[in-house]
Amino acid sequence: MKNYLPGRDSNALFNYKRRTAHNVQIGNLTMGSSQPIRIQSMANTNTNDTNGSVEQCIRIIKEGGELVRFTAQGIKEAKNLQAIRAELTRRGFRQPLVADIHFNPKAADEAALHVEKVRINPGNYVDSVHTQKRFSYTDEEYRQEIAKIRERLVPFLNICKENKTAIRIGVNHGSLSDRILSRYGDTQEGMVESCMEFLRICREEDFTNVVISIKASNTVIMVETVRLLVATMAEEGMDFPLHIGVTEAGDGEDGRIKSAVGIGALLCDGIGDTIRVSLSEDPEKEIPVAKALADYVSRRCGHSPINGTDSGKVNPFAYSRRKSTKLGNIGGTNVPIVIASSTEGALKPDYVLAETLPSHIVVPTIVDYAIWKESANLYPLFTSQNYNKIKSCKANIKFVLTNYPSIEETLAAADNKCVFIVESSHINPVGEQRAFIHHLLSNDLGNPVVLKQNYNDSAKGDFQIKCGADMGSFFIDGIADGLWIEAKNLPTADVTSGAFAILQASRCRMSKTEYISCPSCGRTLYDMQSTIAQIKAKTGHLKNLKIGIMGCIVNGPGEMADADYGYVGSGVGKVNLYKGQECIEKMIPAEEAVEKLIELIKSNGDWHEA
């Protein structure tokens, strides 16, 4: 198995340390592992609108954005980046600008003359993307296609060298080329190879001012693919810095937690040198979320060591559920559970903690063993004070509150009816809880594990970021059976909602409608924010559906690959509707498209009334 934490010792899984990445110079900004994690966003103005673009850029910078990206669909937009750059400089703002290029290498050449960094997408820089017209290439034809890429890429790299322009090679799950799909399919390996083809050319040309990104809207795919890229680069002696992000994360709670789950899982492993949180909101609102996430994880640098042992039984590149004993609805093949301190809110926990015996039990209830009485719906909670009673207790499910420093004491007292509730007060809770689970794996112990964490935040947004970052990777990797989050300064309903949102963002339990919505940019062809609000208002009760809401066709159909239905901008004020990956209706006027989407859902039998 490849090492996705290259250059790290056997305790790498449990101790936070930034992955080594060489420095890249982007105008007056240095990016790499010796620097802070850089924060960026993307404007959603028309790039030809100089004043509007400058004003939005300044709003992003004032919130703390260190780079700002603009779409450049064509040469006209690429040229106007010069005017945007000049006006920002005149007004005292020297933060680097980035041009975002799809389909048009000439626009990349032009943009490299005017801004500090250019993003190109290997899936559509030279190759045809998702035409699905060609399904096989001979080895010679494949080599010829690589030669075409080199022929086109090298002149661009020369322009960048001459102008000291950095580049980002940005692979998106939704825009792999037909050539890559023909050989690798729509896989993590295909995404990594799409990136590596371009990186190898950059290295051959001695061009190292490169940042890499591999993104997806599915957090599991995104995390596994970035890990695979890191391991592959290490095997080939590369240490390029990484741009991390979850595409089409959405808005509100869902967008924040989904971003924290995906980005946080990688940051907690020390992977990531710059981040962009993609929210379907005004771009300046992304910056505080990204800053809070980077700051929260970065505090772990230099923490007291956690002495764990890698079991070697968790594949970081492919999801596999840890084999745990099935105890009622916990463990085994059951979806991960949620424990909470009350049943407040629309989403109900699977188990509720009661400090006293409840007079009327409405859901399975956990009580301290000292007051536990045998009942079909009451379950004892053991703490260190009464571990000596565990084995004599005849309950079918016994909850044991524990932590990694107490693991030997816990295991000595436990039996196979115990569910371990593992909490941590360490500044790196991911490391301690991960060490506990790997100890179970090393010793072939199948007790289910529920993660417990306490937060003191009074701001809901901060709480969402922290718990998403701390807990997401466990469910992405399939090694935990539930979670229990407490935040005494927030309403229990918000805390429970956050717990379910983590499980949904980790793709292991659906509890509400899943919206895969892009953050919008200069390519967006309709009013994104109001459309999302309309679709959510009408479909929010369809909890088992995934609905993609995409601004344009660049990544639209591909990034919503696992969506049940799709709403994709196809022209100015026009929308295409999809069932899965099949386009059902084209060029619908935007003012009619939401109702047409509902009609499509109804016609396929997936609608029910609220």
Side-chain angles (χ1 to χ4, degrees), residues 8 35 69 74 109 189 207 255-256 311 348 398 554 559 588 591:
R8 308 274 293 275
Q35 305 297 314
R69 183 160 41 118
D109 294 346
E189 290 78 7
F207 187 87
R256 283 158 177 77
S311 66
K348 304 302 180 186
K398 295 175 274 193
V554 169
E559 287 293 3
I588 302 167
E591 58 271 18

Side-chain angles (χ1 to χ4, degrees), residues 223-244:
V223 170
E224 291 173 354
T225 308
V226 173
R227 288 171 174 172
L228 183 60
L229 173 66
V230 168
T232 304
M233 283 199 295
E235 284 186 344
E236 299 194 24
M238 299 180 185
D239 63 352
F240 292 95
L242 287 162
H243 170 129
I244 304 298

Side-chain angles (χ1 to χ4, degrees), residues 14-240:
F14 318 111
N15 294 279
Y16 174 78
K17 182 182 178 182
R18 288 275 296 278
R19 162 189 170 265
T20 299
H22 72 254
N23 284 342
V24 166
Q25 199 64 36
I26 309 167
N28 60 4
L29 182 77
T30 306
M31 181 184 296
S33 58
S34 67
Q35 305 297 314
I37 296 168
R38 302 301 188 181
I39 307 301
Q40 60 179 284
S41 183
M42 184 173 184
N44 60 12
T45 54
N46 184 327
T47 310
N48 292 315
D49 176 6
T50 303
N51 291 333
S53 297
V54 167
E55 292 299 329
Q56 187 178 79
C57 189
I58 291 173
R59 291 195 296 274
I60 293 170
I61 291 169
K62 286 184 174 180
E63 285 289 343
E66 297 174 280
L67 300 91
V68 182
R69 183 160 41 118
F70 289 91
T71 186
Q73 303 97 309
I75 292 176
K76 182 181 179 182
E77 288 82 5
K79 284 182 175 179
N80 201 56
L81 288 169
Q82 183 179 24
I84 295 170
R85 173 73 279 167
E87 178 60 15
L88 285 166
T89 301
R90 188 187 72 79
R91 294 172 66 170
F93 296 95
R94 287 294 309 158
Q95 283 78 1
L97 301 185
V98 185
D100 193 68
I101 308 294
H102 292 273
F103 305 113
N104 196 336
K106 291 182 179 179
D109 294 346
E110 181 67 32
L113 303 174
H114 309 304
V115 295
E116 291 81 3
K117 184 179 174 187
V118 178
R119 178 271 175 107
I120 58 174
N121 183 342
N124 55 38
Y125 185 70
V126 174
D127 282 320
S128 297
V129 59
H130 272 320
T131 64
Q132 297 182 339
K133 293 178 181 177
R134 185 166 184 183
F135 300 99
S136 65
Y137 290 77
T138 66
D139 289 347
E140 180 57 31
E141 288 173 333
Y142 204 92
R143 282 192 291 270
Q144 289 173 2
E145 293 299 312
I146 299 293
K148 287 180 185 177
I149 292 172
R150 195 179 201 289
E151 183 181 343
R152 187 62 193 85
L153 182 61
V154 169
F156 170 65
L157 297 181
N158 290 335
I159 294 171
C160 291
K161 286 179 183 178
E162 186 176 344
N163 291 275
K164 295 184 171 59
T165 307
I167 71 170
R168 169 156 69 101
I169 297 173
V171 178
N172 275 14
H173 185 217
S175 54
L176 295 179
S177 69
D178 278 352
R179 180 177 54 79
I180 288 290
L181 290 172
S182 74
R183 183 151 297 189
Y184 297 94
D186 191 8
T187 63
Q188 286 90 324
E189 290 78 7
M191 295 170 71
V192 169
E193 184 59 22
S194 181
C195 179
M196 293 302 296
E197 289 176 351
F198 276 60
L199 275 182
R200 292 174 191 126
I201 295 171
C202 290
R203 182 168 62 179
E204 289 165 6
E205 294 300 311
D206 195 26
F207 187 87
T208 59
N209 217 27
V210 182
V211 180
I212 310 301
S213 70
I214 288 191
K215 296 187 180 183
S217 62
N218 182 317
T219 57
V220 178
I221 290 173
M222 173 263 197
V223 170
E224 291 173 354
T225 308
V226 173
R227 288 171 174 172
L228 183 60
L229 173 66
V230 168
T232 304
M233 283 199 295
E235 284 186 344
E236 299 194 24
M238 299 180 185
D239 63 352
F240 292 95

Side-chain angles (χ1 to χ4, degrees), residues 374-393:
E374 291 189 43
S375 168
N377 224 23
L378 278 180
Y379 299 92
L381 174 66
F382 292 89
T383 60
S384 57
Q385 288 76 20
N386 47 36
Y387 276 2
N388 61 320
K389 303 291 186 181
I390 292 175
K391 287 180 179 174
S392 62
C393 177

